[in-house]
Amino acid sequence: MPNTPYNTNLPADLRALKEEIEVHARSYGLDFYETIFEVVDADDLNEIAAYGGFPTRYPHWSFGMSYEELRKGYDYGLSKIYEMVINNDPCYAYLMRCNHVVDQKLVMAHVYGHCLAPETLVEVRSGVKPIQDVYVGEEVLTHTGVYRKVRVVAKRWFKGKIHRLSVSGSSEKVRITGEHPVYVLRPAPCVLAGRQRVPCRPTCKTQHKCSAPRPYETYQLVWVPAEEVKPGDFVALPRRRFAPAATPEFVHVPVDKVLHRQRIVGTRRLPLNKSLAKFIGYFIAEGNAQKRGLVGFGFHQDEVAYHGEIGALVRELLGANVGEDHRPENHATIIRFNSIEMAHWLREQVGVGAADKKIPEFLFDHPDDDCLLGCLQGLFNGDGTYTVASGRRSGTLSLTTVSRQLAYQLRHVCARWSIQTGVYSRQRAGRQRCYDVVWSGASAHKLSALLLGEDVIEGNRSFERSWSDENYIYRQVQEVETEDYDGLVYNFSVEEDESYTLAAGFVVHNCDFFKNNAYFAHTSRKMMDEMANHGMRIRRYAEKHGEDEVETFLDKCMSIDDLIDMHSVAIRRREEVSRYDFAPKEEEENKGTRFKSKDYMDDYINPRQALKAEEEERKKLQEQAARNFPERPEKDVLLFLIEHAPLKPWQRDVLSIVRDEAYYFAPQAMTKITNEGWASYWHSTIMTQKTLQPWECIDYADHHSGTMASYGPRLNPYKLGIELLRDIEHRWNTGKFGKEWEECDDLDKRRSWDRKLGLGRQKIFEVRRVHNDITFIDTFLTPDFCREHKLFSFAFQDQAGQYVIESREFDKIKKRLLFSLTNFGKPWIYVVDGNFKNRGELLLRHEHNGVDLRQDQAKDTLANLQFIWSRPVHLQTVVEGKPTTLSFDGTEHSSKTGGDADDAKRNPAGKTR
């Protein structure tokens, strides 16, 4: 169907709203560029978004891929774009034609200002992950128990009160904005006398004393704003559904090995039955597979029955010879066998380290419960334990793992038998974070009978406050708190269901700054025109030199577009005229320093030996400077390549285009917290105080909460920004700053402190004008703010392969936050030598700050740099505490450990050694 032109101007009703909101924005003192709103269809908005907001941008395959993802997400009902604004003069903002009026008002208010918490764990098909890491097209678990694709990932800055929910059966505390809908069941009190404080529930043991219909028989789930959720409510955790499919009888293990000097390639079939499932369960708990083919299982020396069972399983499934190693000093026994194909298959399907272990997908989705039960039995035999109780108390079953994905997989697996599972994370001193999977009450008795063949935990206390039906597991809300928040919040638009499940165990439903902030001062105010110019030039090169050649070179340039010096726009790093122009030098520069003297005293005042020595020293320094190319380390790698790489004129122009656009987008990354916090502050202020109608409150709350919600250990920049701005406004209104405030030690006096200065609004306008994210956090983050918002720092733990809580101390929190913001959290790379080893090779240096480079990304970067430099490229870094030089010569990668690169000119001492 051909595209039909249509009018993108605002219709009369939206134009009236725009004028109203603009008046309100200016009444608050906001000063913005003229803003042009265009109303476009979904396809056109998706296309604009795919081009980064610039519809006239140059063509590239990555933009087409982004468009297809956005288009399909929208067509399938998974995602939708609400807001897009471009830093330009005039400022361009886009509205989707089919959005509700409240959405359009919200976007307009956000644009005039700037424009769930990021650590919240979300259930995705591959396990659980922080909400800020979920991408468009990824599948999330919805309230219907099926996985749907994410159509749009929305994030925004939120400042204000945020709600923190704690639910039974989970240690996760979810931070969520008040308007965000939660799937809730409101219980009724027990009808029996004296039990009114107890909710009526299907698991009650006194049902025989009350008459039907019982209150729980009429319960219904409803969507309730988070601010209305209260302790005692029940939230719903959906039970996974999977489409019935033909059950595979075998799994195929790839074989590619050399045996008796002959290469064997093929597959090995293993029966997919309870024996294989139990073998996998044992491997998850106690197994280890090495690349060279050794597979081992570590048990306590007294677990003789398990030694024999795993040996029998290996012989039954693989026909392999099984060995035993006894280690009395460790009270351990190792059961082992050799199989290269099985070792590689287990590493791929189950995981390499303990933190990566998981139930393979083919087993996790297996429709045969008995097969999956075998996996649980092997897993529990290896890692499980139970406690025995008597009388009114009941024992428990538990299992501890360092794999987050495995812990939450077990919760879904046990839900097949209506067994309720608690997952509690904890940080052990000096060790990686672990997850305790716990079963208690009736669930413990039932699981004990399934796994062990008998109810070994004893005790007759089997009731549970939670219960389940065929669709959901219901868990009680234990605690609801509110706290101030200022940072990013996230939300999704999901295909069909518009909902997603949190790991905590419940379901949720789905430009002034540019003009006045100092860090945007150097950016082009006509970037829309410049982007069109860039597109025209690259299209012309593609026609002249071929699309494949231009696109290949453009791929290389775009992959290294972050190797710039973002501070060079404000700091003069070098002279405007390059020293490599080789302008003629004055001959006097090489002569020694002479003092004015009489002729007969000249030999004494200006001795010839001293002048000669000084002249030789100066020549030596000049020769050394000539060898240093560049003269000092150059952080703007793209600029160095533009000036000195052996490029064709069109290639140099393309690289310059990529660099110009990188510098245009850099301030947006440098001010993400400040910018989005500022926009969210004003859209919430304008909407709640000026333009919001009573009947629009629910829709507004729904969309606003999606931006401001915060989850888990991750920081939401929208939420952090808005809360910190509100904190600044409060402090300067009440006078909580300055020497007198800092020196006050009386807690009661500090709590009631109010100097009634009224300087808050003035102060936040100053913040908007002069600060970026680093200076914003460094200047205004306070211990009181951290305590009030319960902030903590976290660090990456190599052993666990994940981030863990490091400290709740203010200094460490601030240091960690600033560290993550410095250079956008990316490594600092400098050009050290453009004539390395006197062979025209390029030497780079990584400024190591305690975090090693990712080797795969380092290799890709070296390969792309080598493509542009056309000579071998080297990178000095530190790997596992050892100085290492990574190299790529155009054909293969190499790595040299120990000391700096052996350049005779730069390291003469190394040659002597």
Side-chain angles (χ1 to χ4, degrees):
M1 180 176 179
N3 293 327
T4 303
Y6 59 89
N7 187 0
T8 62
N9 295 332
L10 287 177
D13 58 335
L14 292 184
R15 187 162 58 249
L17 288 175
K18 170 186 178 294
E19 294 171 355
E20 177 190 353
I21 294 172
E22 183 174 347
V23 169
H24 293 318
R26 294 195 184 278
S27 70
Y28 283 114
L30 298 178
D31 177 26
F32 36 81
Y33 294 121
E34 177 190 356
T35 304
I36 300 175
F37 286 92
E38 295 187 8
V39 184
V40 297
D41 290 337
D43 281 344
D44 292 327
L45 186 56
N46 290 333
E47 181 179 353
I48 294 170
Y51 278 105
F54 295 92
T56 57
R57 203 173 182 185
Y58 55 80
H60 189 257
W61 62 266
S62 63
F63 303 146
M65 183 177 67
S66 298
Y67 169 75
E68 283 300 314
E69 292 177 355
L70 293 171
R71 182 186 63 81
K72 290 179 180 177
Y74 181 80
D75 290 344
Y76 298 149
L78 296 178
S79 59
K80 183 170 69 171
I81 300 172
Y82 282 99
E83 171 255 338
M84 181 172 294
V85 58
I86 307 303
N87 171 27
N88 198 73
D89 183 15
C91 180
Y92 287 90
Y94 300 95
L95 304 176
M96 187 178 290
R97 187 181 300 275
C98 61
N99 279 351
H100 295 295
V101 173
V102 68
D103 294 332
Q104 311 291 34
K105 292 167 69 173
L106 178 64
V107 171
M108 290 180 186
H110 193 83
V111 166
Y112 281 123
H114 135 63
C115 93
L116 289 168
E119 75 277 7
T120 301
L121 298 177
V122 177
E123 296 247 13
V124 297
R125 182 173 288 278
S126 60
V128 296
K129 64 182 351 183
I131 190 171
Q132 67 178 12
D133 295 337
V134 178
Y135 53 86
V136 172
E138 190 167 18
E139 293 183 326
V140 296
L141 182 64
T142 71
H143 74 284
T144 61
V146 298
Y147 290 96
R148 307 285 190 194
K149 289 185 177 180
V150 174
R151 291 182 298 183
V152 170
V153 177
K155 61 179 180 178
R156 59 188 176 88
W157 197 264
F158 175 77
K159 181 179 181 181
K161 293 293 183 182
I162 200 165
H163 299 262
R164 189 172 64 176
L165 276 60
S166 299
V167 179
S168 63
S170 175
S171 60
E172 295 288 337
K173 293 189 176 182
V174 175
R175 293 193 297 174
I176 184 171
T177 53
E179 69 274 14
H180 207 120
V182 180
Y183 217 22
V184 168
L185 184 149
R186 288 279 166 79
C190 182
V191 297
L192 297 178
R195 291 176 55 85
Q196 284 76 16
R197 298 182 62 184
V198 179
C200 180
R201 60 188 186 279
T203 56
C204 179
K205 298 299 182 180
T206 60
Q207 294 187 48
H208 61 282
K209 296 182 180 181
C210 59
S211 58
R214 298 175 180 89
Y216 71 79
E217 296 173 358
T218 61
Y219 286 167
Q220 289 186 346
L221 283 166
V222 293
W223 293 105
V224 175
E227 62 186 0
E228 297 180 12
V229 178
K230 54 184 180 294
D233 289 344
F234 284 80
V235 292
L237 171 65
R239 297 174 63 171
R240 290 177 71 250
R241 301 173 182 270
F242 48 89
T247 305
E249 297 181 2
F250 300 93
V251 294
H252 299 273
V253 179
V255 177
D256 187 355
K257 62 181 180 181
V258 176
L259 184 65
H260 303 305
R261 298 185 179 181
Q262 291 185 349
R263 185 181 181 185
I264 302 175
V265 179
T267 59
R268 181 174 190 169
R269 295 199 313 173
L270 296 178
L272 184 50
N273 53 25
K274 190 172 183 178
S275 296
L276 178 61
K278 182 172 283 192
F279 170 81
I280 291 174
Y282 272 117
F283 182 81
I284 293 173
E286 306 289 1
N288 175 266
Q290 301 180 14
K291 288 184 178 180
R292 58 191 179 93
L294 179 63
V295 181
F297 299 80
F299 296 98
H300 191 275
Q301 62 185 8
D302 295 335
E303 296 176 325
V304 179
Y306 301 154
H307 305 169
E309 185 173 24
I310 190 63
L313 289 172
V314 172
R315 285 187 285 269
E316 174 191 345
L317 295 168
L318 307 173
N321 295 324
V322 180
E324 273 188 36
D325 294 332
H326 299 283
R327 298 179 180 176
E329 68 279 7
N330 297 327
H331 306 287
T333 298
I334 308 298
I335 308 300
R336 53 174 171 77
F337 69 93
N338 281 286
S339 174
I340 292 179
E341 62 268 23
M342 282 302 297
H344 290 179
W345 183 75
L346 288 170
R347 289 168 64 91
E348 178 184 351
Q349 295 292 329
V350 181
V352 178
D356 300 323
K357 293 286 186 66
K358 64 182 183 295
I359 300 174
E361 187 173 344
F362 66 83
L363 191 57
F364 187 49
D365 292 330
H366 201 286
D368 185 0
D369 290 350
D370 191 53
C371 186
L372 197 54
L373 180 60
C375 180
L376 283 186
Q377 289 173 335
L379 179 57
F380 191 81
N381 289 345
D383 277 346
T385 184
Y386 64 87
T387 61
V388 177
S390 59
R392 290 284 297 166
R393 305 187 63 188
S394 179
T396 62
L397 278 73
S398 63
L399 182 149
T400 300
T401 177
V402 295
S403 171
R404 183 174 67 187
Q405 182 174 351
L406 176 61
Y408 288 102
Q409 279 184 322
L410 290 174
R411 185 170 71 178
H412 284 297
V413 169
C414 291
R416 288 195 178 192
W417 296 281
S418 297
I419 292 173
Q420 299 180 43
T421 307
V423 180
Y424 306 93
S425 65
R426 57 187 170 92
Q427 180 62 52
R428 300 171 293 180
R431 303 176 67 183
Q432 56 187 321
R433 175 175 291 277
C434 69
Y435 299 85
D436 295 323
V437 186
V438 180
W439 299 270
S440 59
S443 293
H445 291 281
K446 187 173 183 178
L447 186 62
S448 174
L450 284 172
L451 294 180
L452 307 176
E454 59 178 325
D455 187 359
V456 299
I457 63 175
E458 301 179 359
N460 64 4
R461 181 165 182 167
S462 60
F463 78 87
E464 294 175 301
R465 297 189 183 276
S466 303
W467 72 91
S468 62
D469 57 26
E470 62 180 6
N471 296 317
Y472 300 99
I473 293 176
Y474 302 96
R475 301 189 168 195
Q476 194 170 35
V477 177
Q478 294 181 321
E479 187 179 35
V480 178
E481 298 176 326
T482 59
E483 60 182 41
D484 292 330
Y485 181 81
D486 191 353
L488 275 175
V489 289
Y490 290 77
N491 197 8
F492 301 141
S493 177
V494 182
E495 290 179 354
E496 298 186 31
D497 298 331
E498 293 293 354
S499 64
Y500 48 96
T501 304
L502 308 183
F506 61 93
V507 178
V508 295
H509 204 50
N510 171 34
C511 313
D512 169 85
F513 195 89
F514 294 144
K515 181 177 180 181
N516 296 282
N517 183 265
Y519 292 87
F520 285 88
H522 72 277
T523 59
S524 173
R525 300 307 187 186
K526 300 295 180 184
M527 199 62 187
M528 190 69 77
D529 297 335
E530 291 193 19
M531 286 288 189
N533 184 30
H534 294 170
M536 181 271 295
R537 283 150 60 188
I538 289 182
R539 289 184 179 90
R540 187 176 63 215
Y541 294 143
E543 292 176 358
K544 184 176 181 179
H545 303 286
E547 289 184 3
D548 291 342
E549 183 176 359
V550 173
E551 189 165 84
T552 298
F553 185 77
L554 191 57
D555 285 345
K556 307 296 183 182
C557 297
M558 293 178 68
S559 68
I560 58 171
D561 64 356
D562 55 352
L563 297 180
I564 60 174
D565 184 2
M566 58 185 177
H567 299 297
S568 63
V569 296
I571 301 175
R572 188 174 184 179
R573 303 289 193 188
R574 62 183 188 179
E575 297 297 329
E576 293 295 330
V577 180
S578 173
R579 61 181 290 275
Y580 306 111
D581 292 340
F582 302 107
K585 308 286 185 185
E586 292 293 334
E587 189 175 340
E588 296 294 330
E589 289 181 1
N590 292 329
K591 295 184 178 180
T593 303
R594 297 184 63 89
F595 297 95
K596 187 175 181 180
S597 64
K598 299 290 186 180
D599 292 340
Y600 67 92
M601 294 291 293
D602 190 59
D603 290 340
Y604 297 94
I605 296 177
N606 299 302
R608 294 183 180 180
Q609 291 183 348
L611 292 176
K612 185 176 181 180
E614 183 180 351
E615 184 178 347
E616 290 176 353
E617 180 66 22
R618 185 169 298 184
K619 287 182 179 180
K620 184 185 297 184
L621 292 174
Q622 289 180 352
E623 291 174 358
Q624 181 66 30
R627 289 198 299 266
N628 291 343
F629 170 64
E631 186 175 12
R632 60 182 61 86
E634 175 65 67
K635 188 175 186 298
D636 194 339
V637 179
L638 293 188
L639 178 61
F640 184 86
L641 294 175
I642 290 171
E643 292 178 343
H644 305 295
L647 299 174
K648 299 175 183 177
W650 71 267
Q651 292 176 323
R652 202 177 308 278
D653 188 32
V654 169
L655 186 56
S656 298
I657 289 173
V658 172
R659 177 175 177 269
D660 289 344
E661 294 185 6
Y663 274 105
Y664 169 80
F665 289 112
Q668 299 180 32
M670 295 170 65
T671 60
K672 186 66 174 178
I673 293 174
T674 319
N675 184 2
E676 297 296 349
W678 178 259
S680 299
Y681 174 92
W682 286 111
H683 91 233
S684 62
T685 301
I686 294 172
M687 289 293 288
T688 57
Q689 297 182 11
K690 298 293 185 181
T691 66
L692 194 63
Q693 301 298 327
W695 57 86
E696 297 173 333
C697 290
I698 297 298
D699 288 335
Y700 166 75
D702 179 26
H703 302 148
H704 179 77
S705 64
T707 303
M708 297 300 157
S710 297
Y711 306 96
R714 304 302 296 272
L715 204 62
N716 182 341
Y718 286 82
K719 183 65 175 175
L720 177 60
I722 194 172
E723 292 299 336
L724 197 50
L725 281 172
R726 288 175 178 168
D727 181 69
I728 294 168
E729 184 178 30
H730 172 72
R731 288 169 56 200
W732 262 258
N733 279 337
T734 57
K736 294 182 178 180
F737 62 94
K739 183 178 180 182
E740 184 181 0
W741 164 257
E742 297 295 339
E743 294 178 351
C744 179
D745 296 327
D746 188 338
L747 295 180
D748 291 332
K749 188 175 180 181
R750 288 173 70 93
R751 275 192 289 266
S752 60
W753 190 289
D754 189 359
R755 296 291 185 264
K756 301 185 183 303
L757 299 181
L759 300 175
R761 186 62 58 82
Q762 176 183 337
K763 186 63 180 180
I764 64 172
F765 271 88
E766 176 188 323
V767 170
R768 175 261 278 154
R769 185 173 64 256
V770 301
H771 285 281
N772 65 11
D773 288 347
I774 294 177
T775 60
F776 182 52
I777 297 298
D778 189 40
T779 305
F780 298 107
L781 190 71
T782 63
D784 291 339
F785 182 89
C786 291
R787 282 193 297 270
E788 183 179 0
H789 294 273
K790 298 178 176 58
L791 300 182
F792 55 84
S793 65
F794 52 94
F796 189 80
Q797 195 173 76
D798 293 331
Q799 184 180 6
Q802 63 184 6
Y803 287 91
V804 298
I805 293 178
E806 179 186 51
S807 173
R808 296 185 186 274
E809 297 178 8
F810 170 72
D811 290 336
K812 290 186 177 180
I813 293 172
K814 185 175 182 179
K815 180 179 179 182
R816 182 65 61 184
L817 186 55
L818 293 174
F819 179 83
S820 67
L821 296 172
T822 302
N823 200 41
F824 317 139
K826 297 180 180 180
W828 294 84
I829 305 296
Y830 296 85
V831 177
V832 178
D833 193 352
N835 189 27
F836 183 52
K837 296 183 179 179
N838 203 28
R839 296 191 299 209
E841 300 177 3
L842 184 64
L843 177 64
L844 307 170
R845 187 184 75 238
H846 167 222
E847 186 175 297
H848 196 271
N849 51 18
V851 180
D852 290 357
L853 294 174
R854 285 185 53 176
Q855 295 298 300
D856 54 342
Q857 295 183 1
K859 290 180 179 179
D860 290 342
T861 301
L862 286 176
N864 293 328
L865 287 169
Q866 191 278 333
F867 182 90
I868 297 174
W869 188 251
S870 300
R871 296 286 298 163
V873 179
H874 311 271
L875 174 63
Q876 294 178 342
T877 183
V878 176
V879 179
E880 296 180 352
K882 299 179 180 179
T884 303
T885 300
L886 307 177
S887 304
F888 182 70
D889 60 4
T891 57
E892 64 178 359
H893 291 275
S894 61
S895 175
K896 181 178 180 180
T897 303
D900 295 332
D902 55 344
D903 182 10
K905 295 181 295 181
R906 291 182 175 269
N907 303 290
K911 185 175 181 180
T912 303
R913 290 195 298 270

